[in-house]
Amino acid sequence: MWCVRTAAINLTKITSQINLSKPASVFRLLNSQASCRRLLSVGVTRVELRHMSSQAKKLCTDNMTVKKIGTHNGSFHCDEVLACFFLRQLPEYKDAEIIRTRDPAKLAECDIVVDVGGEFDPKKHRYDHHQRTFAESFHSLFPEKPWVTKLSSAGLVYVHFGRQLLAQLTQLKEDDRQLEVLFDKLYESFVEEVDAVDNGISQYDGEARYSVSSTLSARVGHLNPRWNSKSQDTEEGFRKAMKMVGEEFLDRLDFYQTSWLPARVVVEEAVKGRHQVDPSGEVLSFTQGGCPWKEHLFSLEKELKVETPIKFVLYPDQNGQWRVQCVPAGLNTFQNRLSLLEEWRGIRDEALSKLSGIKDCIFVHAGGFIGGNKTQDGALEMARRTLQAAAQSHANGSS
C-alpha cells in the first residue's frame, strides 16, 4: 500500500512536469523514475496513443485534399499524356492523383478532367474535344493568335494553363513579353503537332511519299500493349509515356529559353539599330556569327512594323572574315529578296575585287545568295552596291 501511495505521489509530481505536446520529454522524465516505471507504463501508453491519434487524423485530412486529374483508361494517346504532364507541373496539381477511367461517377469526383467526359467547360475544368459540336482552335478561343488547328486535350490544357506552366518552369513573370514569345513558340513547334495528329489533320493534301514513324505521338502509341500481348494493362505504359513526353517538352523548353530566345534578342537589337549600319535600313549587322536569325527576322519585321524589307545580313565567320548574306523571300524558299549582283557570281579574290571595285573581296556564290570579304566595311560595300544597282534598275523601269 505504501509503495502504491508513494508511486501515486511521484506520478503526480512527474505529470505536472510533462509537456504533452513533446513526447520526448515524457520519456526523459519517466526513465529517471525507475521505481515507478512499471506503474506509469499505462499512463505513458495513453500519452503516446493520444499523440498518434492526432497524427492519424491529420494524415487523413491531408489525403482528403489531394487533387484528382481524370482521363480515360484503356489505350492512351499523346494528347492526354501531355495534358496530364502539363497539369502535374503546376503547384495546384503537383501531387495530384491521375484517375484513368470512363466511369462518369468517378470522373465527377475529379477536380479536372481531360480527353474524356464529352464536355468542354473551362469554368468547371472539363477539357474534352471528342464531342460532335467541338471545333475550337487556338484562334477561335483567342482571336489574336493565328493557329487554326483543332485543339486536342493537350492544346486545350496548354491554351488555358500554358502561361502559368511556363512561368512555373522558367521563373519568368506571366506578363513578361519573353514568356509570351515562348508560349507562342512552344505551341507552334511542339503542342500543335500533337493536336493535329490526335485529330487526324494532315500536313498537306494528297498521299505522302514516305511515312514518318518517329513522331512523339507515334512513340507514345508504341508504349501501349500490343494487340496480342497477354497483359493489356496500360498503367505502366502510361507512366512511361508521361515521363517521355515530359522530358522532351522540358528539353525543348530549355532550348527555346536558353538559345532560341537569346538569338531573338540579338536580332531585335540589330533590327532596331539597322539605320546606324546603313541609312537605307536594309542591312543588318551582327557582331558574332552563328546566330540563327531568319525566323526571328521575319517575325520581328511584322512586330516592329518594318516598312522597307531588310535585304542583307552581315556577320563575321570563324576566321574573322565577313559574310554578306541575302535575306530569303521566306523561311522555306531559296528565292532571295535581293540577290548579289549577277556579274559577281562565281568570281573570287582579286578578280572579284577588280570587277567590283571593292578591295579585299573573297567570293560571291554562284547562286548569288552569299558573298565574303576580309573586312566588315568591304562586306557592307558589297551590299550597298547591290542596293544601288537595284534602285537604279527600278528607276530605269527594269524589273
Side-chain angles (χ1 to χ4, degrees), residues 7-73:
I9 293 170
N10 289 336
L11 174 58
T12 303
K13 291 179 179 179
I14 292 169
T15 53
S16 67
Q17 303 173 55
I18 291 177
N19 183 348
L20 294 179
S21 66
K22 297 181 179 180
S25 66
V26 177
F27 292 107
R28 281 197 299 270
L29 287 167
L30 293 181
N31 287 336
S32 68
Q33 305 293 329
S35 62
C36 299
R37 188 176 299 144
R38 183 175 301 169
L39 182 62
L40 293 177
S41 62
V42 175
V44 174
T45 302
R46 287 175 180 169
V47 172
E48 290 178 328
L49 288 175
R50 186 157 52 245
H51 180 75
M52 291 172 64
S53 176
S54 66
Q55 284 287 83
K57 288 179 181 178
K58 184 177 185 299
L59 290 173
C60 182
T61 302
D62 289 345
N63 287 334
M64 290 173 63
T65 64
V66 171
K67 297 284 187 180
K68 293 181 180 179
I69 301 171
T71 190
H72 63 82
N73 58 357

Side-chain angles (χ1 to χ4, degrees), residues 268-278 283:
E268 182 172 359
E269 290 176 352
V271 171
K272 289 179 177 178
R274 66 192 184 281
H275 290 97
Q276 298 174 15
V277 177
D278 186 76
V283 184

Side-chain angles (χ1 to χ4, degrees), residues 133-179:
T133 57
F134 184 89
E136 301 291 359
S137 66
F138 208 146
H139 178 70
S140 70
L141 294 176
F142 297 92
E144 71 274 15
K145 302 299 184 182
W147 301 284
V148 296
T149 299
K150 182 179 176 181
L151 296 169
S152 68
S153 62
L156 283 172
V157 169
Y158 187 80
V159 165
H160 289 89
F161 295 91
R163 292 182 182 86
Q164 183 184 350
L165 166 76
L166 295 179
Q168 180 69 25
L169 294 174
T170 66
Q171 305 307 306
L172 294 171
K173 301 289 187 182
E174 285 192 46
D175 59 355
D176 192 311
R177 179 170 168 263
Q178 288 193 333
L179 186 136

Side-chain angles (χ1 to χ4, degrees), residues 173-203:
K173 301 289 187 182
E174 285 192 46
D175 59 355
D176 192 311
R177 179 170 168 263
Q178 288 193 333
L179 186 136
E180 190 68 17
V181 172
L182 283 174
F183 177 64
D184 288 352
K185 183 60 180 175
L186 281 158
Y187 182 77
E188 180 182 63
S189 298
F190 195 96
V191 182
E192 186 179 21
E193 173 192 331
V194 177
D195 286 343
V197 170
D198 194 76
N199 285 305
I201 302 171
S202 299
Q203 285 182 282

Side-chain angles (χ1 to χ4, degrees), residues 82-281:
L82 184 58
C84 289
F85 170 78
F86 284 157
L87 292 172
R88 290 283 285 273
Q89 307 315 298
L90 302 174
E92 184 177 2
Y93 298 106
K94 179 173 67 72
D95 299 314
E97 180 183 2
I98 297 176
I99 307 296
R100 299 185 66 231
T101 181
R102 294 183 186 274
D103 184 338
K106 292 181 179 179
L107 291 173
E109 296 175 354
C110 294
D111 298 275
I112 187 167
V113 176
V114 300
D115 209 44
V116 71
E119 185 179 13
F120 168 54
D121 187 347
K123 292 180 180 179
K124 295 167 59 179
H125 284 334
R126 292 316 189 243
Y127 299 96
D128 195 11
H129 66 111
H130 294 102
Q131 49 274 31
R132 287 173 62 89
T133 57
F134 184 89
E136 301 291 359
S137 66
F138 208 146
H139 178 70
S140 70
L141 294 176
F142 297 92
E144 71 274 15
K145 302 299 184 182
W147 301 284
V148 296
T149 299
K150 182 179 176 181
L151 296 169
S152 68
S153 62
L156 283 172
V157 169
Y158 187 80
V159 165
H160 289 89
F161 295 91
R163 292 182 182 86
Q164 183 184 350
L165 166 76
L166 295 179
Q168 180 69 25
L169 294 174
T170 66
Q171 305 307 306
L172 294 171
K173 301 289 187 182
E174 285 192 46
D175 59 355
D176 192 311
R177 179 170 168 263
Q178 288 193 333
L179 186 136
E180 190 68 17
V181 172
L182 283 174
F183 177 64
D184 288 352
K185 183 60 180 175
L186 281 158
Y187 182 77
E188 180 182 63
S189 298
F190 195 96
V191 182
E192 186 179 21
E193 173 192 331
V194 177
D195 286 343
V197 170
D198 194 76
N199 285 305
I201 302 171
S202 299
Q203 285 182 282
Y204 40 77
D205 296 327
E207 190 172 346
R209 295 189 181 189
Y210 57 90
S211 65
V212 177
S213 61
S214 59
T215 65
L216 185 62
S217 295
R219 281 179 280 134
V220 167
H222 291 321
L223 292 174
N224 278 285
R226 298 176 184 179
W227 71 272
N228 55 352
S229 296
K230 290 183 178 180
S231 172
Q232 291 296 312
D233 182 10
T234 58
E235 293 302 319
E236 182 181 359
F238 184 89
R239 289 191 294 271
K240 287 181 179 179
M242 193 160 64
K243 181 176 184 293
M244 181 178 71
V245 300
E247 288 176 349
E248 193 150 333
F249 177 82
L250 292 175
D251 180 71
R252 192 75 60 87
L253 171 59
D254 178 70
F255 166 76
Y256 287 132
Q257 184 180 11
T258 62
S259 178
W260 182 86
L261 200 57
R264 181 184 173 87
V265 173
V266 169
V267 177
E268 182 172 359
E269 290 176 352
V271 171
K272 289 179 177 178
R274 66 192 184 281
H275 290 97
Q276 298 174 15
V277 177
D278 186 76
S280 69

